[in-house]
Amino acid sequence: MIRSLPRSKAYDWSFRCFILLYFAFLFAPLLVTCVLAFNDSNFPSLPWQGFTLDWFLASGPDRIGLFHDDQNLRAIVTSFKTALCVSILSTVVGTCASFLFEKEEFRFKGVLYFLMLAPLVIPGVILGISQLLAANTAGAFFDETFGIDIEVFRPSFWLVVLGQFSFITTFVTLVVSARLRKFDHSLEEAALNLGATPLGVIWHITLKFLRPAIVGAGAVAFLMSFENFNTTLFLVGSEPTLPINLYLQVRDGSTPVINAVSLMLIVGTSLLALVNVYFTKKAD
Amino acid sequence: MQYDLVISRLVKEFGTFRAVDDVSFEVPKGSFFSILGPSGCGKTTLLRMIAGFEEQTSGRIEISGQDMRGVTPNRRPVNLVFQHLALFPMMNVAENIAFGLRRRKVPAAEIRRRTEEMLERVGLPGYGAKRIHQLSGGQKQRVAIARCLVLDPKLLLLDEPLGALDLKLREQMKVELKKLQAKVGTTFIYITHDQSEALVMSDTVAVMNRGRFEQVGSPQELYMDPQTPFVAGFVGDNNRWEGTVEEVEGETVLIRTDEALVFRARRKADAHKGPATLFLRPEAMVIDPVGTDGLNTFPAVVKAILFDGANSRLLTVTPSGHELLAALPQNRAFDHIRPGAEITLGWHPHSGIVFARREERP
Amino acid sequence: MNRSGLFWLFLTPVLLWLFLLIVLPHVDLFILSFRTDEGWSLENYANFFTEPIYWLTFVRTAVYSIITTLLTLVVSLPVAFYITKLSRPRVRGFLMILLLLPFWVSELVRVYGWMILLRESGVLNYLFLQLGLLERPVEMLYNDATMIMGLVYTSMLFMVVPLVSVMESLDDSLVEAAYDLGASKICIWRTIIIPHCKPGITSGAIVVFMLVLGNYLTPNLMGGKNSLWFTEQIYNQFIASFNWNQGAAFGFLLLALSSCIVWVGLKLTGQKLGEVAS
């Protein structure tokens, strides 16, 4: 049954096989993607034609590698900018929200808390379209009443940032709140008692205590934003983010450049993930 | 006399519940003042009002002659040693001690000097770079106190800081705290539910019950001359009889207990003819007294011998089944006593005190 | 700055966020779904019920989402059990990291990986041909079964993680006691493990269901031409037909469906959204 109880050999082995198959299932698509990024063939498929770095380095005219592919490079830069903005914005507001919900008592707190959780149950597609609609309505309103055309209300970089921010902040709030709940309230009183101002207490004591959680949440927010597809799909303007750009390429047929981009993504996110795991371990 | 703390008619209500009920007292400069009471008596609320974490419903708190109403906790000249110490785990020992000085924008060099001086004073020289979790319970205790004392507070408030320590360390820290207070001369206000802590360390003890002060006095006064039945029952061990006062003769009364024993005993101010309670310390009882002149005596049976070194007692029962504790001096004179032995107990009328029986307040 | 100043400092950004980016857009969505170019009307909803393609897609999406959720649970339970109760403590942390890693990678990359594995000219077909298992290549993509497998794959993590954390909190001695008292394996699962894991199962199921229902990429890239997902209908209304009001009505229906099922799920298991979230 469990480790401490006697088990039959068959039981153990069938379990081990299952887990092995499971992990094979888990990693097969990623592994294949990575390997085929180095295949010297014009299609991301077998047979193996030999090793090449063309899909990263080639500069044309037959093959254009990732590092010379302006469109993909631009999309990567856009995604970086978006993710940076979203992670900063959502960590700031999410931290404010967790302070608000964990430390303050006020009327309608329950309603506000429910609203804060709402993005968890709203599908990303819906978030995308409702924000597109609202931005459009607001744009039309400003245009008609004041005669001013506001760029932000049209599908654009900032609309994507706002759209992603609206649900990623919920995740940040939940992560930071969980850590804040473990905070010993008397530490704040002690700091106050030793002469710190209320703002000083938050800065020197509470935020310092929360730092690992905030850094971790910020990293997750960055990743979520970098990889978001559903919400972004409706809000994206003339600057596609990397997932949108990849999607368009995959839909229209594939070249090993997509594998190259995927490989970079896999390596990048794995590194970020490992760093994050390391920091959360250290925090505990 | 100069007072560091003057409290007058202080009240704190939570809804309809009165946690602190019309309390007034003064604490002289440089003294060790304890507030002793069972849990839930309002002592923590009182302390938190002095520190500024709770606002009083009415009444006045004056620290060094200044009214504290409306002064936020970070501006009050008092520091608090928290029950669980509340040392900042994200800082090392020196940073913990320097925290308050930094907030006051004291120059860095002076902070370093004063921190080191303080560490030396509490017996932890060279511990500055240690993390909080590397310290033992007693060391944490001293850092928490040092962190407050380095700010030269007018008052140091201590909220049962010894509660988390094991017995042996607690005994040791009691003595150490007392010595430290004498050395630094800061006024200490110490709250505890442990009567031995209060009695050993304090110059003055206030016994608190249900939001009120029952009695304020020196440890000796509280023990020898309790003014209320609660103090008699709470401070030190006491035997208790219910009975009726039959005669009042000046400072002495004649009381007939419910099991029909008749004693003479000292009268407390409000005792008069009618229902009354008699308190008698275990050490006031003499086992098998030689001369019984002027003593109250009664027969009892030894039920068990509670051996505890110098603090050994006999658990005895009167013929009608009332259990009483009597001190058992360890001078070998009573080695022959065995459980089941019939003995006579005697006590001087001055040792027992009689209060009018009051209906317990709800 | 005093206490109430801090309160407003926290409250203001949160209010702006929730009101401007959550409440207002969804109110707008709701209002617009009742409008057409001519004015107020129920036409958008009427269209949904009169056009079989719309409501059939809707029902199909809901049913497939439920099936996917159940399948995910069936696959995840033994994995979580193995990691928490059977693996050696030293490999446990390693297995967890290994388990989490693929899910950090963009969904698009993972779906793309499946595509190059499964399609007619894909890796699996090549291998099977080489091994002589197949005579000619078979298209393994673009059917419902593959799509559901893809959906299970992309949302598995959100089932495994809550299950692992809830199974970690199961005291081994309970299982040992049940065993000692003569319970069989099935009995232990039924009376000890499953009841203990209920909160984890609920939160996992709700999150997986939500993600599958609102998924766009996997059905779009792995599903067949006639296995449309409801999110694709919404996308078509918005981007292809440019009929935003119709799209808003669809969006609102999807939102209503997901809230409804989540609500039923919470009611059935007697949990609160706040508990599930944490």
Side-chain angles (χ1 to χ4, degrees), chain A residues 3-4 26 47 121 126 131 137 166 223 227 230 246-247 259, chain C residues 17 21 28 85 104 106 108 112 126 153 176 210 214 220 251:
Chain A
R3 272 188 71 75
S4 52
L26 212 54
V121 278
I126 311 283
Q131 256 145 40
T137 310
S166 70
L223 261 184
E227 301 184 336
N230 286 353
L246 274 183
Y247 167 72
N259 292 54
Chain C
W17 160 40
L21 294 176
D28 199 37
K85 298 292 172 204
W104 289 79
S106 164
L108 193 80
Y112 176 70
Y126 178 82
Y153 180 83
E176 287 164 0
M210 287 291 319
N220 187 255

PDB file of all heavy atoms in Angstrom, chain A residues 3-4 26 47 121 126 131 137 166 223 227 230 246-247 259, chain C residues 17 21 28 85 104 106 108 112 126 153 176 210 214 220 251:
ATOM      1  N   ARG A   3       4.733   3.060   1.649  1.00  0.00           N
ATOM      2  CA  ARG A   3       6.111   2.606   1.859  1.00  0.00           C
ATOM      3  C   ARG A   3       6.289   1.722   3.074  1.00  0.00           C
ATOM      4  O   ARG A   3       7.038   0.759   3.061  1.00  0.00           O
ATOM      5  CB  ARG A   3       7.030   3.826   2.000  1.00  0.00           C
ATOM      6  CG  ARG A   3       7.564   4.346   0.690  1.00  0.00           C
ATOM      7  CD  ARG A   3       8.593   5.415   0.949  1.00  0.00           C
ATOM      8  NE  ARG A   3       9.818   4.863   1.500  1.00  0.00           N
ATOM      9  CZ  ARG A   3      10.699   4.185   0.782  1.00  0.00           C
ATOM     10  NH1 ARG A   3      10.490   3.975  -0.487  1.00  0.00           N
ATOM     11  NH2 ARG A   3      11.790   3.721   1.350  1.00  0.00           N
ATOM     12  N   SER A   4       5.577   2.083   4.151  1.00  0.00           N
ATOM     13  CA  SER A   4       5.832   1.381   5.407  1.00  0.00           C
ATOM     14  C   SER A   4       5.110   0.038   5.485  1.00  0.00           C
ATOM     15  O   SER A   4       5.319  -0.713   6.426  1.00  0.00           O
ATOM     16  CB  SER A   4       5.408   2.270   6.572  1.00  0.00           C
ATOM     17  OG  SER A   4       4.086   2.711   6.375  1.00  0.00           O
ATOM     18  N   LEU A  26       5.065  13.057 -20.417  1.00  0.00           N
ATOM     19  CA  LEU A  26       5.257  14.452 -20.025  1.00  0.00           C
ATOM     20  C   LEU A  26       6.353  15.112 -20.851  1.00  0.00           C
ATOM     21  O   LEU A  26       6.222  16.257 -21.272  1.00  0.00           O
ATOM     22  CB  LEU A  26       5.631  14.468 -18.547  1.00  0.00           C
ATOM     23  CG  LEU A  26       5.193  15.650 -17.700  1.00  0.00           C
ATOM     24  CD1 LEU A  26       3.710  15.848 -17.815  1.00  0.00           C
ATOM     25  CD2 LEU A  26       5.578  15.392 -16.256  1.00  0.00           C
ATOM     26  N   PRO A  47      13.359  11.771 -41.096  1.00  0.00           N
ATOM     27  CA  PRO A  47      14.606  11.227 -40.522  1.00  0.00           C
ATOM     28  C   PRO A  47      15.634  12.302 -40.164  1.00  0.00           C
ATOM     29  O   PRO A  47      15.548  13.427 -40.610  1.00  0.00           O
ATOM     30  CB  PRO A  47      15.113  10.346 -41.663  1.00  0.00           C
ATOM     31  CG  PRO A  47      14.595  10.997 -42.890  1.00  0.00           C
ATOM     32  CD  PRO A  47      13.246  11.536 -42.528  1.00  0.00           C
ATOM     33  N   VAL A 121     -12.036  32.354 -12.014  1.00  0.00           N
ATOM     34  CA  VAL A 121     -13.113  31.588 -12.643  1.00  0.00           C
ATOM     35  C   VAL A 121     -13.569  32.206 -13.957  1.00  0.00           C
ATOM     36  O   VAL A 121     -14.516  31.727 -14.552  1.00  0.00           O
ATOM     37  CB  VAL A 121     -14.331  31.424 -11.702  1.00  0.00           C
ATOM     38  CG1 VAL A 121     -14.106  30.286 -10.748  1.00  0.00           C
ATOM     39  CG2 VAL A 121     -14.626  32.687 -10.957  1.00  0.00           C
ATOM     40  N   ILE A 126     -12.624  35.205 -22.209  1.00  0.00           N
ATOM     41  CA  ILE A 126     -13.676  36.154 -21.820  1.00  0.00           C
ATOM     42  C   ILE A 126     -13.049  37.445 -21.299  1.00  0.00           C
ATOM     43  O   ILE A 126     -13.483  38.550 -21.629  1.00  0.00           O
ATOM     44  CB  ILE A 126     -14.567  35.545 -20.716  1.00  0.00           C
ATOM     45  CG1 ILE A 126     -15.022  34.155 -21.080  1.00  0.00           C
ATOM     46  CG2 ILE A 126     -15.743  36.468 -20.422  1.00  0.00           C
ATOM     47  CD1 ILE A 126     -16.129  34.104 -22.067  1.00  0.00           C
ATOM     48  N   GLN A 131     -12.387  43.024 -22.028  1.00  0.00           N
ATOM     49  CA  GLN A 131     -11.522  44.192 -21.960  1.00  0.00           C
ATOM     50  C   GLN A 131     -11.410  44.894 -23.309  1.00  0.00           C
ATOM     51  O   GLN A 131     -11.335  46.119 -23.376  1.00  0.00           O
ATOM     52  CB  GLN A 131     -10.159  43.810 -21.435  1.00  0.00           C
ATOM     53  CG  GLN A 131     -10.046  44.258 -19.985  1.00  0.00           C
ATOM     54  CD  GLN A 131      -9.240  43.318 -19.168  1.00  0.00           C
ATOM     55  OE1 GLN A 131      -8.234  42.822 -19.621  1.00  0.00           O
ATOM     56  NE2 GLN A 131      -9.679  43.070 -17.959  1.00  0.00           N
ATOM     57  N   THR A 137     -15.416  50.789 -25.921  1.00  0.00           N
ATOM     58  CA  THR A 137     -16.468  51.677 -25.446  1.00  0.00           C
ATOM     59  C   THR A 137     -15.870  52.960 -24.880  1.00  0.00           C
ATOM     60  O   THR A 137     -16.315  54.061 -25.190  1.00  0.00           O
ATOM     61  CB  THR A 137     -17.293  50.973 -24.345  1.00  0.00           C
ATOM     62  OG1 THR A 137     -17.682  49.692 -24.826  1.00  0.00           O
ATOM     63  CG2 THR A 137     -18.530  51.786 -23.995  1.00  0.00           C
ATOM     64  N   SER A 166      -4.755  42.276 -15.230  1.00  0.00           N
ATOM     65  CA  SER A 166      -6.029  42.133 -14.517  1.00  0.00           C
ATOM     66  C   SER A 166      -6.178  40.762 -13.877  1.00  0.00           C
ATOM     67  O   SER A 166      -6.796  40.650 -12.822  1.00  0.00           O
ATOM     68  CB  SER A 166      -7.193  42.408 -15.459  1.00  0.00           C
ATOM     69  OG  SER A 166      -7.311  41.366 -16.397  1.00  0.00           O
ATOM     70  N   LEU A 223       6.537  35.031 -15.943  1.00  0.00           N
ATOM     71  CA  LEU A 223       6.334  33.865 -16.808  1.00  0.00           C
ATOM     72  C   LEU A 223       4.921  33.794 -17.356  1.00  0.00           C
ATOM     73  O   LEU A 223       4.707  33.555 -18.544  1.00  0.00           O
ATOM     74  CB  LEU A 223       6.612  32.592 -16.017  1.00  0.00           C
ATOM     75  CG  LEU A 223       7.968  31.964 -16.210  1.00  0.00           C
ATOM     76  CD1 LEU A 223       8.054  30.665 -15.435  1.00  0.00           C
ATOM     77  CD2 LEU A 223       8.197  31.673 -17.694  1.00  0.00           C
ATOM     78  N   GLU A 227       4.014  34.048 -21.367  1.00  0.00           N
ATOM     79  CA  GLU A 227       3.442  32.925 -22.096  1.00  0.00           C
ATOM     80  C   GLU A 227       1.961  33.060 -22.349  1.00  0.00           C
ATOM     81  O   GLU A 227       1.350  32.186 -22.951  1.00  0.00           O
ATOM     82  CB  GLU A 227       3.705  31.645 -21.305  1.00  0.00           C
ATOM     83  CG  GLU A 227       5.177  31.418 -21.093  1.00  0.00           C
ATOM     84  CD  GLU A 227       5.451  30.116 -20.396  1.00  0.00           C
ATOM     85  OE1 GLU A 227       4.542  29.634 -19.697  1.00  0.00           O
ATOM     86  OE2 GLU A 227       6.552  29.596 -20.555  1.00  0.00           O
ATOM     87  N   ASN A 230      -4.385  33.336 -24.364  1.00  0.00           N
ATOM     88  CA  ASN A 230      -5.826  33.510 -24.492  1.00  0.00           C
ATOM     89  C   ASN A 230      -6.272  34.960 -24.410  1.00  0.00           C
ATOM     90  O   ASN A 230      -7.020  35.440 -25.249  1.00  0.00           O
ATOM     91  CB  ASN A 230      -6.542  32.697 -23.420  1.00  0.00           C
ATOM     92  CG  ASN A 230      -6.519  31.223 -23.743  1.00  0.00           C
ATOM     93  OD1 ASN A 230      -6.083  30.844 -24.823  1.00  0.00           O
ATOM     94  ND2 ASN A 230      -6.972  30.403 -22.817  1.00  0.00           N
ATOM     95  N   LEU A 246       4.208  33.009 -32.562  1.00  0.00           N
ATOM     96  CA  LEU A 246       4.446  31.574 -32.769  1.00  0.00           C
ATOM     97  C   LEU A 246       3.183  30.892 -33.271  1.00  0.00           C
ATOM     98  O   LEU A 246       3.225  30.068 -34.179  1.00  0.00           O
ATOM     99  CB  LEU A 246       4.888  30.916 -31.458  1.00  0.00           C
ATOM    100  CG  LEU A 246       6.362  30.948 -31.117  1.00  0.00           C
ATOM    101  CD1 LEU A 246       6.588  30.185 -29.824  1.00  0.00           C
ATOM    102  CD2 LEU A 246       7.178  30.327 -32.241  1.00  0.00           C
ATOM    103  N   TYR A 247       2.066  31.274 -32.648  1.00  0.00           N
ATOM    104  CA  TYR A 247       0.794  30.663 -33.016  1.00  0.00           C
ATOM    105  C   TYR A 247       0.531  30.882 -34.513  1.00  0.00           C
ATOM    106  O   TYR A 247       0.158  29.953 -35.231  1.00  0.00           O
ATOM    107  CB  TYR A 247      -0.321  31.261 -32.180  1.00  0.00           C
ATOM    108  CG  TYR A 247      -1.707  30.934 -32.668  1.00  0.00           C
ATOM    109  CD1 TYR A 247      -2.230  29.657 -32.529  1.00  0.00           C
ATOM    110  CD2 TYR A 247      -2.503  31.906 -33.272  1.00  0.00           C
ATOM    111  CE1 TYR A 247      -3.505  29.352 -32.980  1.00  0.00           C
ATOM    112  CE2 TYR A 247      -3.776  31.616 -33.719  1.00  0.00           C
ATOM    113  CZ  TYR A 247      -4.272  30.342 -33.574  1.00  0.00           C
ATOM    114  OH  TYR A 247      -5.528  30.036 -34.031  1.00  0.00           O
ATOM    115  N   ASN A 259      11.033  25.430 -33.755  1.00  0.00           N
ATOM    116  CA  ASN A 259      11.701  24.567 -32.771  1.00  0.00           C
ATOM    117  C   ASN A 259      12.800  25.321 -32.044  1.00  0.00           C
ATOM    118  O   ASN A 259      12.984  25.177 -30.839  1.00  0.00           O
ATOM    119  CB  ASN A 259      12.313  23.354 -33.471  1.00  0.00           C
ATOM    120  CG  ASN A 259      11.249  22.448 -34.016  1.00  0.00           C
ATOM    121  OD1 ASN A 259      10.387  22.885 -34.767  1.00  0.00           O
ATOM    122  ND2 ASN A 259      11.287  21.190 -33.618  1.00  0.00           N
TER     123      ASN A 259
ATOM    124  N   TRP C  17      -8.039  48.625  -9.877  1.00  0.00           N
ATOM    125  CA  TRP C  17      -7.860  47.357 -10.580  1.00  0.00           C
ATOM    126  C   TRP C  17      -9.197  46.626 -10.722  1.00  0.00           C
ATOM    127  O   TRP C  17      -9.626  46.291 -11.825  1.00  0.00           O
ATOM    128  CB  TRP C  17      -6.831  46.503  -9.820  1.00  0.00           C
ATOM    129  CG  TRP C  17      -6.862  45.034 -10.118  1.00  0.00           C
ATOM    130  CD1 TRP C  17      -7.039  44.425 -11.326  1.00  0.00           C
ATOM    131  CD2 TRP C  17      -6.712  43.967  -9.168  1.00  0.00           C
ATOM    132  NE1 TRP C  17      -7.007  43.060 -11.194  1.00  0.00           N
ATOM    133  CE2 TRP C  17      -6.807  42.749  -9.891  1.00  0.00           C
ATOM    134  CE3 TRP C  17      -6.494  43.919  -7.785  1.00  0.00           C
ATOM    135  CZ2 TRP C  17      -6.697  41.501  -9.268  1.00  0.00           C
ATOM    136  CZ3 TRP C  17      -6.373  42.680  -7.167  1.00  0.00           C
ATOM    137  CH2 TRP C  17      -6.484  41.486  -7.905  1.00  0.00           C
ATOM    138  N   LEU C  21     -10.886  47.132 -14.342  1.00  0.00           N
ATOM    139  CA  LEU C  21     -10.447  46.030 -15.203  1.00  0.00           C
ATOM    140  C   LEU C  21     -11.253  44.744 -15.025  1.00  0.00           C
ATOM    141  O   LEU C  21     -11.173  43.846 -15.844  1.00  0.00           O
ATOM    142  CB  LEU C  21      -8.965  45.735 -14.954  1.00  0.00           C
ATOM    143  CG  LEU C  21      -8.020  46.860 -15.359  1.00  0.00           C
ATOM    144  CD1 LEU C  21      -6.598  46.522 -14.989  1.00  0.00           C
ATOM    145  CD2 LEU C  21      -8.125  47.139 -16.839  1.00  0.00           C
ATOM    146  N   ASP C  28     -19.919  45.828 -19.225  1.00  0.00           N
ATOM    147  CA  ASP C  28     -19.971  46.241 -20.623  1.00  0.00           C
ATOM    148  C   ASP C  28     -20.283  45.041 -21.527  1.00  0.00           C
ATOM    149  O   ASP C  28     -21.118  45.131 -22.427  1.00  0.00           O
ATOM    150  CB  ASP C  28     -18.632  46.884 -21.004  1.00  0.00           C
ATOM    151  CG  ASP C  28     -18.757  47.743 -22.242  1.00  0.00           C
ATOM    152  OD1 ASP C  28     -19.805  48.408 -22.395  1.00  0.00           O
ATOM    153  OD2 ASP C  28     -17.830  47.740 -23.061  1.00  0.00           O
ATOM    154  N   LYS C  85       3.555   8.911  -1.380  1.00  0.00           N
ATOM    155  CA  LYS C  85       3.501   7.784  -0.456  1.00  0.00           C
ATOM    156  C   LYS C  85       4.427   6.620  -0.829  1.00  0.00           C
ATOM    157  O   LYS C  85       4.677   5.763  -0.010  1.00  0.00           O
ATOM    158  CB  LYS C  85       2.063   7.255  -0.362  1.00  0.00           C
ATOM    159  CG  LYS C  85       1.074   8.274   0.173  1.00  0.00           C
ATOM    160  CD  LYS C  85       1.337   8.594   1.638  1.00  0.00           C
ATOM    161  CE  LYS C  85       0.480   9.738   2.103  1.00  0.00           C
ATOM    162  NZ  LYS C  85       1.035  10.436   3.252  1.00  0.00           N
ATOM    163  N   TRP C 104       5.947  24.869 -16.840  1.00  0.00           N
ATOM    164  CA  TRP C 104       6.420  26.249 -16.881  1.00  0.00           C
ATOM    165  C   TRP C 104       6.563  26.689 -18.329  1.00  0.00           C
ATOM    166  O   TRP C 104       6.537  27.874 -18.638  1.00  0.00           O
ATOM    167  CB  TRP C 104       7.768  26.387 -16.178  1.00  0.00           C
ATOM    168  CG  TRP C 104       7.679  26.253 -14.700  1.00  0.00           C
ATOM    169  CD1 TRP C 104       7.579  25.095 -14.000  1.00  0.00           C
ATOM    170  CD2 TRP C 104       7.668  27.300 -13.738  1.00  0.00           C
ATOM    171  NE1 TRP C 104       7.514  25.359 -12.671  1.00  0.00           N
ATOM    172  CE2 TRP C 104       7.571  26.709 -12.477  1.00  0.00           C
ATOM    173  CE3 TRP C 104       7.740  28.695 -13.833  1.00  0.00           C
ATOM    174  CZ2 TRP C 104       7.536  27.459 -11.304  1.00  0.00           C
ATOM    175  CZ3 TRP C 104       7.714  29.431 -12.661  1.00  0.00           C
ATOM    176  CH2 TRP C 104       7.605  28.823 -11.417  1.00  0.00           C
ATOM    177  N   SER C 106       5.628  27.351 -22.129  1.00  0.00           N
ATOM    178  CA  SER C 106       4.419  27.844 -22.783  1.00  0.00           C
ATOM    179  C   SER C 106       3.563  26.718 -23.344  1.00  0.00           C
ATOM    180  O   SER C 106       4.071  25.746 -23.908  1.00  0.00           O
ATOM    181  CB  SER C 106       4.838  28.798 -23.887  1.00  0.00           C
ATOM    182  OG  SER C 106       3.763  29.013 -24.768  1.00  0.00           O
ATOM    183  N   LEU C 108       1.827  26.775 -25.866  1.00  0.00           N
ATOM    184  CA  LEU C 108       1.991  26.714 -27.314  1.00  0.00           C
ATOM    185  C   LEU C 108       3.125  25.767 -27.702  1.00  0.00           C
ATOM    186  O   LEU C 108       3.000  24.959 -28.619  1.00  0.00           O
ATOM    187  CB  LEU C 108       2.279  28.116 -27.845  1.00  0.00           C
ATOM    188  CG  LEU C 108       2.162  28.214 -29.344  1.00  0.00           C
ATOM    189  CD1 LEU C 108       0.710  28.347 -29.744  1.00  0.00           C
ATOM    190  CD2 LEU C 108       2.981  29.355 -29.868  1.00  0.00           C
ATOM    191  N   TYR C 112       2.748  22.400 -29.797  1.00  0.00           N
ATOM    192  CA  TYR C 112       3.562  22.273 -30.998  1.00  0.00           C
ATOM    193  C   TYR C 112       4.352  20.968 -30.961  1.00  0.00           C
ATOM    194  O   TYR C 112       4.466  20.264 -31.971  1.00  0.00           O
ATOM    195  CB  TYR C 112       4.497  23.482 -31.103  1.00  0.00           C
ATOM    196  CG  TYR C 112       5.447  23.406 -32.274  1.00  0.00           C
ATOM    197  CD1 TYR C 112       4.989  23.546 -33.576  1.00  0.00           C
ATOM    198  CD2 TYR C 112       6.810  23.193 -32.068  1.00  0.00           C
ATOM    199  CE1 TYR C 112       5.852  23.479 -34.646  1.00  0.00           C
ATOM    200  CE2 TYR C 112       7.690  23.132 -33.131  1.00  0.00           C
ATOM    201  CZ  TYR C 112       7.208  23.262 -34.426  1.00  0.00           C
ATOM    202  OH  TYR C 112       8.058  23.182 -35.480  1.00  0.00           O
ATOM    203  N   TYR C 126       6.944   8.191 -38.390  1.00  0.00           N
ATOM    204  CA  TYR C 126       8.241   7.771 -38.936  1.00  0.00           C
ATOM    205  C   TYR C 126       8.773   6.551 -38.195  1.00  0.00           C
ATOM    206  O   TYR C 126       9.194   5.565 -38.811  1.00  0.00           O
ATOM    207  CB  TYR C 126       9.224   8.943 -38.856  1.00  0.00           C
ATOM    208  CG  TYR C 126      10.603   8.599 -39.344  1.00  0.00           C
ATOM    209  CD1 TYR C 126      10.895   8.609 -40.716  1.00  0.00           C
ATOM    210  CD2 TYR C 126      11.614   8.243 -38.461  1.00  0.00           C
ATOM    211  CE1 TYR C 126      12.160   8.283 -41.163  1.00  0.00           C
ATOM    212  CE2 TYR C 126      12.873   7.912 -38.896  1.00  0.00           C
ATOM    213  CZ  TYR C 126      13.150   7.936 -40.257  1.00  0.00           C
ATOM    214  OH  TYR C 126      14.392   7.608 -40.701  1.00  0.00           O
ATOM    215  N   TYR C 153      -3.171  16.753 -21.205  1.00  0.00           N
ATOM    216  CA  TYR C 153      -1.744  17.042 -21.038  1.00  0.00           C
ATOM    217  C   TYR C 153      -1.501  18.472 -20.554  1.00  0.00           C
ATOM    218  O   TYR C 153      -0.722  18.702 -19.638  1.00  0.00           O
ATOM    219  CB  TYR C 153      -1.028  16.818 -22.375  1.00  0.00           C
ATOM    220  CG  TYR C 153       0.461  17.080 -22.327  1.00  0.00           C
ATOM    221  CD1 TYR C 153       1.326  16.092 -21.870  1.00  0.00           C
ATOM    222  CD2 TYR C 153       0.986  18.298 -22.706  1.00  0.00           C
ATOM    223  CE1 TYR C 153       2.682  16.306 -21.808  1.00  0.00           C
ATOM    224  CE2 TYR C 153       2.350  18.532 -22.648  1.00  0.00           C
ATOM    225  CZ  TYR C 153       3.193  17.537 -22.202  1.00  0.00           C
ATOM    226  OH  TYR C 153       4.534  17.765 -22.133  1.00  0.00           O
ATOM    227  N   GLU C 176      -1.860   2.953   7.854  1.00  0.00           N
ATOM    228  CA  GLU C 176      -1.325   1.798   8.594  1.00  0.00           C
ATOM    229  C   GLU C 176      -2.373   1.226   9.541  1.00  0.00           C
ATOM    230  O   GLU C 176      -2.540   0.020   9.659  1.00  0.00           O
ATOM    231  CB  GLU C 176      -0.078   2.219   9.382  1.00  0.00           C
ATOM    232  CG  GLU C 176       1.119   2.439   8.485  1.00  0.00           C
ATOM    233  CD  GLU C 176       2.228   3.221   9.175  1.00  0.00           C
ATOM    234  OE1 GLU C 176       2.061   3.588  10.360  1.00  0.00           O
ATOM    235  OE2 GLU C 176       3.237   3.467   8.537  1.00  0.00           O
ATOM    236  N   MET C 210     -12.087  24.808 -15.578  1.00  0.00           N
ATOM    237  CA  MET C 210     -12.038  26.200 -16.029  1.00  0.00           C
ATOM    238  C   MET C 210     -11.065  26.366 -17.186  1.00  0.00           C
ATOM    239  O   MET C 210     -11.377  27.002 -18.187  1.00  0.00           O
ATOM    240  CB  MET C 210     -11.528  27.091 -14.897  1.00  0.00           C
ATOM    241  CG  MET C 210     -12.479  27.322 -13.806  1.00  0.00           C
ATOM    242  SD  MET C 210     -13.756  28.297 -14.446  1.00  0.00           S
ATOM    243  CE  MET C 210     -12.755  29.407 -15.409  1.00  0.00           C
ATOM    244  N   GLY C 214     -12.046  27.171 -21.158  1.00  0.00           N
ATOM    245  CA  GLY C 214     -11.621  28.442 -21.749  1.00  0.00           C
ATOM    246  C   GLY C 214     -10.431  28.297 -22.674  1.00  0.00           C
ATOM    247  O   GLY C 214      -9.872  29.282 -23.124  1.00  0.00           O
ATOM    248  N   ASN C 220      -7.892  24.356 -31.102  1.00  0.00           N
ATOM    249  CA  ASN C 220      -7.664  24.991 -32.389  1.00  0.00           C
ATOM    250  C   ASN C 220      -6.572  24.302 -33.182  1.00  0.00           C
ATOM    251  O   ASN C 220      -6.691  24.112 -34.388  1.00  0.00           O
ATOM    252  CB  ASN C 220      -7.321  26.459 -32.151  1.00  0.00           C
ATOM    253  CG  ASN C 220      -7.245  27.235 -33.450  1.00  0.00           C
ATOM    254  OD1 ASN C 220      -6.156  27.552 -33.906  1.00  0.00           O
ATOM    255  ND2 ASN C 220      -8.391  27.514 -34.045  1.00  0.00           N
ATOM    256  N   GLY C 251     -19.714  35.113 -25.244  1.00  0.00           N
ATOM    257  CA  GLY C 251     -18.802  35.236 -24.110  1.00  0.00           C
ATOM    258  C   GLY C 251     -19.558  35.168 -22.799  1.00  0.00           C
ATOM    259  O   GLY C 251     -19.178  34.451 -21.867  1.00  0.00           O
TER     260      GLY C 251
END
